[in-house]
């Protein structure tokens, strides 16, 4: 099970210290949300910040591109030190090419599905990806409530993986706290992005430990 604190919930005045805090708290990955003010109604930060933070930790950098034109950004995020780049299934016809491009840059590739988007948008790409991200809020902002209706999509991701003998990770992102992480683990998730529920805790290590214990205990085993 992998826990990935989302930097979007960190103190924006001290990103470097916050990235190190996640590492000290025994995070597995650091999740970096890139928003372009077009695909989502918010702007976060760009490749230069990822490059600066790359020097701060040894964590695996999970870069989530909520961007309408990722094709113009992939190279700079790859160079900046992303370990994995996630693009969105909503980009339709472009997805196959984007997946190929990310792989050719030597990075792991993730595909995200927004709450209103059917899982069939991701289905043709399952054999090509390292991670399937089931969004559990509409992307754009941290601190939103978990959308329970997304849980069947996590179950679908699990069923497809099993039926087809694939190995992609199943990640959830948005409104993930102790309770919703547990529900997602039961449904089949193995990778948990959590922003506000971890970064707002003064004892992030304790919160991470508790979340890890819960998802391990409730992991789906069938
Ligand atoms: C949502 C982002 C998330 C966000 C999650 O647009 O993709 O990664 O940081 O934040 P919380 O855990 O606060 O919902
Ligand atoms: Zn994200």
């Amino acid at each position: 099970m992998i826990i990935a604190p989302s930097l979007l919930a960190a103190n924006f005045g001290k990103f470097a210290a916050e990235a190190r805090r996640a590492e000290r708290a025994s995070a597995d990955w650091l999740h970096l949300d890139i928003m372009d003010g077009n695909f989502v109604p918010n702007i976060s930060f760009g490749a230069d910040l990822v490059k600066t933070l790359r020097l701060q930790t040894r964590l695996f950098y999970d870069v989530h591109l909520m961007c309408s034109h990722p094709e113009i950004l992939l190279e700079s995020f790859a160079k900046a030190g992303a370990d994995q780049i996630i693009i969105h299934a909503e980009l339709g016809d472009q997805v196959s090419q984007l997946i190929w491009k990310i792989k050719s840059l030597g990075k792991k590739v993730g595909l995200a599905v927004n709450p209103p988007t059917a899982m069939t948008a991701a289905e043709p790409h399952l054999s090509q990806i390292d991670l399937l991200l089931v969004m559990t809020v509409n992307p754009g902002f941290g601190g939103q409530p978990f959308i329970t209706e997304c849980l069947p999509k996590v179950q679908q991701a699990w069923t497809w993986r099993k039926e087809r003998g694939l190995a992609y990770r199943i990640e959830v992102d948005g409104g993930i706290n102790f309770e919703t992480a547990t529900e997602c683990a039961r449904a089949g998730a193995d990778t948990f992005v959590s922003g506000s529920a971890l970064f707002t805790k003064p004892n992030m290590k304790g919160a991470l430990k508790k979340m890890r214990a819960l998802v391990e205990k409730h992991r789906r085993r069938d």
Side-chain angles (χ1 to χ4, degrees):
M1 302 299 236
I2 284 184
I3 314 261
S6 169
L7 196 72
L8 196 67
N11 180 334
F12 271 39
K14 31 180 194 170
F15 276 131
E18 290 284 76
R20 291 195 301 268
R21 184 159 76 99
E23 185 171 48
R24 277 202 313 276
S26 306
D28 302 285
W29 293 1
L30 187 65
H31 184 82
L32 299 128
D33 286 305
I34 313 301
M35 302 177 176
D36 68 348
N38 185 271
F39 187 79
V40 288
N42 195 8
I43 294 176
S44 56
F45 41 77
D48 287 342
L49 184 81
V50 177
K51 188 177 172 189
T52 304
L53 295 182
R54 181 66 282 173
L55 306 170
Q56 298 292 327
T57 80
R58 290 168 177 253
L59 291 170
F60 179 98
Y61 282 10
D62 185 31
V63 173
H64 177 191
L65 296 183
M66 285 157 275
C67 303
S68 301
H69 292 285
E71 69 278 7
I72 58 174
L73 300 168
L74 295 178
E75 232 169 283
S76 48
F77 280 101
K79 276 193 191 141
D83 293 294
Q84 174 162 267
I85 300 179
I86 303 173
I87 49 142
H88 268 262
E90 290 75 23
L91 298 172
D93 291 350
Q94 298 176 57
V95 169
S96 294
Q97 253 195 316
L98 290 166
I99 290 174
W100 177 84
K101 176 80 182 166
I102 295 168
K103 286 181 181 219
S104 74
L105 290 164
K107 304 299 176 182
K108 291 204 165 182
V109 55
L111 186 61
V113 181
N114 280 341
T117 304
M119 289 293 276
T120 47
E123 195 180 0
H125 309 289
L126 296 177
S127 63
Q128 301 298 316
I129 58 177
D130 298 294
L131 173 140
L132 182 58
L133 167 53
V134 177
M135 288 303 300
T136 45
V137 298
N138 286 303
F141 302 92
Q144 303 182 75
F146 180 83
I147 302 173
T148 310
E149 288 75 13
C150 297
L151 280 171
K153 294 166 94 174
V154 177
Q155 292 164 350
Q156 176 69 261
W158 169 278
T159 304
W160 277 339
R161 187 173 68 183
K162 195 171 178 189
E163 282 174 359
R164 300 170 192 201
L166 297 170
Y168 54 79
R169 303 200 68 88
I170 302 172
E171 184 175 63
V172 285
D173 181 9
I176 299 297
N177 53 34
F178 299 133
E179 195 188 333
T180 57
T182 303
E183 289 176 49
C184 289
R186 284 201 183 104
D190 51 44
T191 306
F192 304 82
V193 176
S194 178
S196 7
L198 295 178
F199 266 106
T200 58
K201 300 276 190 319
N203 180 2
M204 190 172 172
K205 194 177 183 110
L208 231 138
K209 195 173 170 193
K210 181 172 170 186
M211 190 175 282
R212 195 189 306 284
L214 281 168
V215 298
E216 290 286 355
K217 181 170 172 207
H218 296 282
R219 76 189 304 158
R220 188 165 170 181
R221 294 173 198 275
D222 60 331

